[in-house]
Structures are given as structure tokens and as C-alpha cells.
Amino acid sequence: MTSLRARLILAFSLITLIPLAIAMVILTARIQAMVRSQASERLQSALGGMRDQVAADGRQIAAKLEILGRDPLLKRLYLLRPAGSRDLSEYLAERQFLLGLDFLGVVDSSGNLVATAPLPGARGGTPGVVSTSVSWNTPVIGTIEGVPSLAMVSRSPILYQSQAAGSVQGGLLFDAAFLQRLGKASGVDLVLRDGAGRIAASTLPEAAMGTLPRTSGDQRAEVAGRTYRIRSVPLAVGALPYATITGLASTAAADHTVASLQLAAALLGLLGLGIAIPLAILWSSQISRPVERLAAFSDKLARGDWDEPLTLHSMRELQTLVLALDRMRSDLRSYRDKLVTSERQAAWNQMARKVAHEIKNPLTPIAISVADLKRSYDQKRPDFPEILDQAVRTVGEEVEALKRLLQEFSDFARIPPPRLEPCRVSNLMDDLAALYGREIAAGRLVVTRPEREITFTADPGQMRQALINLVKNGLEALNGDGRVTVSAGVDEAVLEIAVSDSGPGLSEEQRSNLFVPGFTTKAQGSGLGLTIVERIVNDHQGAIAVDARPGRGTTFRIRLPLTPGGPR
């Protein structure tokens, strides 16, 4: 993601998607919060109403049974019942229907069931005594024998001569039908659990019972693939709670709405991307292409190609930059011409001073020798022949030094461009070994050949000259039993040739002026040897570096690309 075009496309895409995503998150959160609040309110209202309804039903059952317990006909049928008579059971069935009870029976003073009305519907079995420890007319929740359900049961005594001769017992079953009646008005599903936590009745399908969580707080849960808000409260009839009723308010409609909104948002996002990406590609091209041309033009300026002007028609801001770059190109070109002229003049001035200085040094002994020779001749000295021989030797030596000096300046001025061809490092090392065989035999020079052949592109003659100059300088810098070492190796597609000596090293000032024309640390020298080496290396698109400290010797490292234009 480094190109300007890719970043612009990404920016347009994010601008399209982020506001939509934020709006979707906020809208979804608000819908879910509203649904959660409404469902919680429905549950609280429904469960509170159910508890009130159960309590009211308990009171009504107690009142009905109290009236029934005082019924003279019931007393007569109970106290004077003939053997095998069904009058009491039929009377109880009639009263059960009229009082709206699910079960009704008569129990004697010993707790034995005397007669009962049949349970409604498909439930058979005989309801038994629910609890013998409760007081009369106290509604409780208990388990009906033979019926897997909870029941709300109440009792009322049958008095005979102010004594309890028995009791009438009746109530309502807490089954699915009862829960459906309770939850019909509120629109919630209900689940009833007994004191042990077992499910006694439910309005949910049987398959959903296994996934129903047990909770006492208000929370969200998934039951049989559908989402609900669930809340549980204790169900008490009388003083203590004997069961728990759980309400489930479905949030499936809200989930469906949220899913529809998310789908719509996704489709809108895809549509937005479908529009934004082509526009981003178009607009980014209009921006990036001029910028790419400006970058290419800047690269040309950095390489020194200042001749071709820049013509680019774009937006106003970029057009201002184009004009500024073109002005800079013109100024750089003008400065370059002036700098070339100035450097040329400075080079000629420096060369003239150097030549004058170097020629002046041998001319002084020549002039002295000639003057001494003239004076000896005028004085007709008897040792004139010896003086003549000495003068001739001095003049000859100085003339030879002048010839060498002029040859070095001529070589520096006439270094031709390199003629590149495949060159082997082993051949260069063999040439050094042949040229400096005496120094190698004396241990003053060590030429280390690479383990494998290294081939690079260069001018063999110029590279040989550069290495000879470096080896010559190293040998001249040795003290006593010092040594010069030449080695070569490859480092990431770059050839490195190192020439090291164990001489006295260089000071910081000497090292900073090594490649300045005319600078030398030797008593006799033109100061052009390292300048020639640097020029040869630069012409080969390479680099030369020196590592030297006082007392630790000097190492020159030449780094050349194995192929033209490669890394160096």
C-alpha cells in the first residue's frame, strides 16, 4: 500500500463504508436496546400480573371451598352415605364443574380419601391429600398424586356438631392449559418449575425444553433457534414460594429486523463500493499520473539530466509545482555551466601551480650545478673534470625527475573512458604476483586469491593500474618487516577488493585529503596516484573507501558492481 493511487482508492472506499458502518452500529444498538427494554417491561408486567392472578385464584378457591364445606347436602351425603353409593361422587363432579375447579374431593378426619370427582381431560388418577400440615383455608402449592403437575390446593372443614368430621379439598392444576390462559393476554411463553427445579408445565414445544436455561435475572437467551428475553420469579400461594415461573418474550421479530437492516447495509456498502472504486480509480489517475511524471522528472534532475524541459498540464496546485521544478531545472543547468567553467579554471590554476612547483624543485639543483660548473671553469680549477662529471649526473637525474613528473601529469589528463569487458579477479591477482614477485618472495606482499572464480565487468588495464598504485603506496608506507595484503570477495552482488598495509596509518587530516590532487605524505611524489585510482573507480561506477588510524595501518576498499548498473 505504498502507491498514491492505491491509497486514494482505499480512502474513497473507507469514506463510503465507515459512515454506513457507524450508522448501522448505532441503529442496531438502539433497536436492540429498545426491544430489550420493551421485552423486559412485558415480562415484568406479565409475571407480576400472573402472580397477582394466582394469589387471587387461591383466595377464590378458599372461599368457594369454605362455602361448599357448609353445604347441608354435602354434609348429608358425606355423613349418611350408603355403601356403594355414587351420590357423593356425582355431587362432587357437579360442584367441581359449577365452581370451575380442576379437582374436588372429600377426606375423612383420618386423612383417607372418601370420594372424588374425576380429573378433567385425559388425565386420570385420583388426586390425593396434598399436605396434612397446612391449616384450613390456606392455599398452597403441592404435587397431585398420579398427575405430573403442580396444583394450587385449598381445604375447608366439614363440621358436624361444631367438630370437624372431614374436609373438602379442591383446587386448580398448573398445567399447560392453565399457563396458556395466564400468558394469552400478555403474549409471552411461560415455564413452571417445581421446588426441585423440574419443569412441571410449559407453553413451549417439547423440543425446546432441553435448551431452556435456568436463570433468575433478566437476560437474553436462545431457545430452540429463537431468541428470547427471559426472566424468572418465585410463585407463592400463601406465605412461602413453592415454585418458579419463567417468562419468555420473543425477540425474533427484532432480530429479523436487525438482520434485514444489516443485509440492506451490506448491499448499500457494495453498491457504494461499486460506485466509489471506479470514481476513485478515475480521480486517482488524474492525480497520480501527473505526480508520477513529476517524480520521474525529479529523478532526472537528481541524475543531472537538466536539458529536457517539463511540459505538464494538470490541476492548478500541481501546475505551480511544475513551473517551480522547471525553473529549478533551468537554474541548475545555468549553475552547472557556471560551475563547470569555474571548476575548469580552478583545475587549470591548481594544475599550473602544481606544475610550476614541481618543476621548480628540480630546476634549483640544475641551476646550482651549472653555476658551480661555470665558476670552476672560470677559476680553472684542477678538479674541473670531477666537478663536470658531478654536474652532469645531477642535471641528468633532475631532468629524469622532470620527465617522470610530466609523464604523471600527462597520464592523469589522458585517462580514457573504460573499455568494459568480462574481467577475472584471478587474472588481476596473477598480474600483481608477476610484477611483484620479489616482494612476495620476501614476504612483504601477500596476494590472496578468492576460493572461487569471480568475474565482473571492467577495463582490465585500468583496474590493474589502480591496484598497482595502491600496492605501490602500501609498500612505500611499510616500516621494517611490515606486510601488504591484497584480497577479494563478493558481498551481495558487489565485488570488494581490499589492499591493506601494516604501516604507520594516517591521521584524520591526512585521511580527509587523500584523494585531493597534489596531496601526498611522501617526500617525493606528485600526489596524483590516489586521485588516478579514485577516477578509475568512479568511471567504473564503483566506490573507494579508506580505513586508517595512526599506528594501525591503512586499508583501501574498492567496491565495484559485478554487472554495470548494479549495486555498489
Side-chain angles (χ1 to χ4, degrees), residues 110-256:
S110 300
N112 298 317
L113 183 64
V114 176
T116 182
L119 289 173
R123 293 193 172 189
T126 302
V129 178
V130 176
S131 173
T132 59
S133 62
V134 297
S135 60
W136 301 114
N137 299 327
T138 301
V140 299
I141 295 178
T143 302
I144 301 300
E145 295 178 1
V147 180
S149 177
L150 294 180
M152 181 169 59
V153 183
S154 185
R155 294 176 181 175
S156 182
I158 300 175
L159 299 178
Y160 177 72
Q161 295 181 354
S162 301
Q163 297 292 327
S167 63
V168 59
Q169 176 179 283
L172 296 176
L173 293 176
F174 284 159
D175 55 5
F178 177 79
L179 294 180
Q180 286 176 356
R181 290 196 303 271
L182 288 178
K184 184 176 181 181
S186 60
V188 299
D189 288 309
L190 298 174
V191 176
L192 185 66
R193 298 179 187 270
D194 60 18
R198 296 184 297 268
I199 295 177
S202 172
T203 60
L204 292 173
E206 189 68 26
M209 293 296 99
T211 60
L212 183 66
R214 296 194 61 179
T215 177
S216 58
D218 189 349
Q219 69 177 29
R220 181 180 181 275
E222 185 172 336
V223 179
R226 301 185 64 184
T227 55
Y228 293 88
R229 295 299 303 181
I230 298 180
R231 186 173 184 178
S232 299
V233 296
L235 184 62
V237 180
L240 298 175
Y242 291 93
T244 301
I245 187 166
T246 301
L248 299 91
S250 176
T251 59
D255 294 339
H256 179 71

Side-chain angles (χ1 to χ4, degrees), residues 266-290:
L267 294 177
L268 287 176
L270 292 176
L271 178 61
L273 286 178
I275 297 174
I277 290 178
L279 290 177
I281 293 174
L282 175 62
W283 292 338
S284 64
S285 298
Q286 294 176 352
I287 296 175
S288 62
R289 287 178 182 175

Side-chain angles (χ1 to χ4, degrees), residues 543-555:
I544 183 170
V546 60
D547 181 13
R549 295 182 182 179
R552 297 187 180 182
T554 304
T555 300

